[in-house]
Amino acid sequence: MSGDPRHRVTIGLDFGTTTCKSAYYAPRVLGISSNSRDTLTFTPSEAEIYPVELSNEGHTEPTKLAWHKIERRFFYGSELELKVDRGSISPEDVVDLPKLSLDRSEQTYRLRKRQEAQREKMPFKNGEPLSSIDIIAQFLRWFKDRVLGIIKHQLGRRRYNVAALAESATWVLTLPANWEEASDDLRRAAREAGLGNVELVTETEAAAAAMLGSSQESFRDLAQEPILVADAGGGTHNVITYIVKPDGTMEEGLAGTGGLRGSYWLAEDFQDHLTKLWPHKLNDFLVDQGQDPADPVIFQKLVDSCSNQFETQKKRFDGFSEDDEVSKMVVTLQGRRSCMASTDSNTIVLPK
């Protein structure tokens, strides 16, 4: 990358387990110019961080993709969710949480096997099914193109080539702390996605830097102060401490710790609870509907229906209730009120 890096765009991609977001760092927009070679240069000026407005509802996109068998193309993010809602793509074909395929622990085994089966239904690459890295690259390529298009619109310039921006920019990708073994795979996926100059930072480092950047206190005021950073994501949680230096740099204090925790695993536990503690009611319901409970596809669709309702209510759950003891959630099976075993046979009881 030629020229003063301070006069170039740095684009951050928060490749989250359940959602993605982005922002870019550049000198003030008014200082941007474009020459005949379609490369971006900037006049020296104060730099700013600009969020990438990904949708009308916020600055995030769901981290998911699926292959549409009829249209012969991939769909991603919120557009994919619309396709699923309208019934044109089956929920079974949606690859959720592709980032977790980089984790090879026993906890992600079931998820990885499900994604492996999904990839076998997609077009092959060089005679072989797509790998988990191929899927991540596919998603990152789409996310990169989407972000670049929005940045181009936000910058208000129509003369330069978006490809030139992609080539000249520095891309910063986040990954959970203690995921050193996955960093090479993520770099490979980023290269396949066309991200030229890539840097990886941990999610806790990015969170700490964002906090310091928005703090009203100067680095000198915070010097030698320990900062505890807790990153609670949809699939991973990490906690770490940093010591701030007078020049604004940070050094690690106590070693970080974390693991596979978050709202996704709560949903997984719900499915396990549903199928292990309530199988007879699921079976009886399917029999009443004239369906075969031994059919794994039919059974899983019923479980998914309950899980989707649980997910909707889980997002609204705030831990408060008029009841001092519990907050209740109800799952409905096609109009029949049914739920998990509890003190009330018609409700799931979640402790406050």
Side-chain angles (χ1 to χ4, degrees):
M1 183 170 61
S2 61
D4 189 336
R6 294 174 301 174
H7 302 165
R8 297 283 180 173
V9 175
T10 298
I11 304 173
L13 300 183
D14 181 8
F15 179 45
T17 304
T18 54
T19 61
C20 289
K21 57 185 69 69
S22 178
Y24 60 100
Y25 175 86
R28 290 190 183 278
V29 170
L30 294 178
I32 294 177
S33 61
S34 175
N35 62 25
S36 59
R37 296 181 60 186
D38 280 334
T39 58
L40 292 178
T41 59
F42 299 89
T43 58
S45 60
E46 181 181 351
E48 289 187 354
I49 296 176
Y50 304 90
V52 176
E53 300 176 3
L54 290 166
S55 70
N56 294 329
E57 299 180 357
H59 301 320
T60 65
E61 278 284 359
T63 311
K64 57 180 64 176
L65 70 161
W67 174 254
H68 196 293
K69 301 173 184 177
I70 305 300
E71 298 189 31
R72 306 294 297 174
R73 53 162 291 203
F74 282 98
F75 283 88
Y76 311 83
S78 54
E79 184 183 13
L80 168 58
E81 290 187 334
L82 287 175
K83 287 284 185 181
V84 172
D85 290 343
R86 294 168 181 169
S88 59
I89 293 181
S90 169
E92 299 174 3
D93 295 328
V94 176
V95 180
D96 284 307
L97 321 166
K99 186 176 77 172
L100 289 185
S101 65
L102 297 177
D103 179 272
R104 305 293 190 228
S105 68
E106 183 179 350
Q107 190 173 347
T108 61
Y109 176 79
R110 184 169 62 179
L111 172 71
R112 288 183 283 113
K113 294 300 290 184
R114 183 170 73 241
Q115 292 184 359
E116 183 179 320
Q118 290 171 322
R119 294 196 301 270
E120 290 178 353
K121 300 178 183 179
M122 299 176 183
F124 282 20
K125 178 182 178 181
N126 299 324
E128 298 289 337
L130 297 177
S131 68
S132 59
I133 294 177
D134 291 329
I135 288 295
I136 292 173
Q138 186 74 33
F139 182 86
L140 288 177
R141 185 180 301 111
W142 167 80
F143 193 53
K144 173 205 69 175
D145 292 342
R146 178 150 165 68
V147 165
L148 286 174
I150 294 172
I151 291 177
K152 177 181 177 181
H153 176 74
Q154 287 183 262
L155 293 181
R157 302 293 303 187
R158 300 183 179 278
R159 292 192 299 146
Y160 61 79
N161 191 329
V162 171
L165 172 59
E167 183 178 351
S168 63
T170 297
W171 296 85
V172 180
L173 273 172
T174 60
L175 76 166
N178 305 321
W179 269 36
E180 291 84 359
E181 295 181 1
S183 61
D184 288 342
D185 287 341
L186 186 56
R187 285 185 185 276
R188 178 182 161 191
R191 287 195 300 269
E192 290 187 16
L195 277 64
N197 308 301
V198 177
E199 295 183 13
L200 299 183
V201 300
T202 67
E203 292 163 355
T204 48
E205 288 172 334
M211 186 277 296
L212 288 174
S214 61
S215 174
Q216 298 299 315
E217 300 180 79
S218 68
F219 294 134
R220 190 176 301 279
D221 294 333
L222 293 171
Q224 304 308 311
E225 288 286 338
I227 296 176
L228 175 69
V229 179
D231 177 32
T236 59
H237 285 190
N238 296 279
V239 179
I240 196 169
T241 59
Y242 295 107
I243 304 296
V244 182
K245 295 183 177 181
D247 62 358
T249 60
M250 299 177 298
E251 65 179 7
E252 189 175 313
L254 296 176
T257 184
L260 297 174
R261 303 177 183 90
S263 61
Y264 167 71
W265 303 107
L266 178 60
E268 286 282 286
D269 289 345
F270 172 80
Q271 283 211 12
D272 287 342
H273 194 56
L274 188 68
T275 55
K276 291 177 182 177
L277 299 186
W278 203 40
H280 59 286
K281 286 194 175 182
L282 295 177
N283 288 349
D284 291 347
F285 176 81
L286 290 173
V287 170
D288 289 345
Q289 300 297 313
Q291 296 179 304
D292 182 7
D295 187 323
V297 174
I298 292 176
F299 189 84
Q300 188 59 44
K301 283 183 178 180
L302 182 60
V303 171
D304 289 343
S305 172
C306 295
S307 297
N308 290 338
Q309 294 178 60
F310 174 78
E311 184 71 18
T312 299
Q313 297 185 62
K314 180 189 72 178
K315 292 178 180 178
R316 295 198 299 261
F317 180 70
D318 59 7
F320 297 96
S321 171
E322 295 178 0
D323 189 329
D324 291 336
E325 299 296 325
V326 295
S327 180
K328 297 180 180 179
M329 298 175 66
V330 179
V331 171
T332 302
L333 297 183
Q334 297 182 12
R336 288 181 52 182
R337 180 170 287 186
S338 321
C339 223
M340 310 277 298
S342 67
T343 55
D344 182 338
S345 61
N346 289 332
T347 60
I348 303 171
V349 180
L350 297 181
K352 290 183 66 175

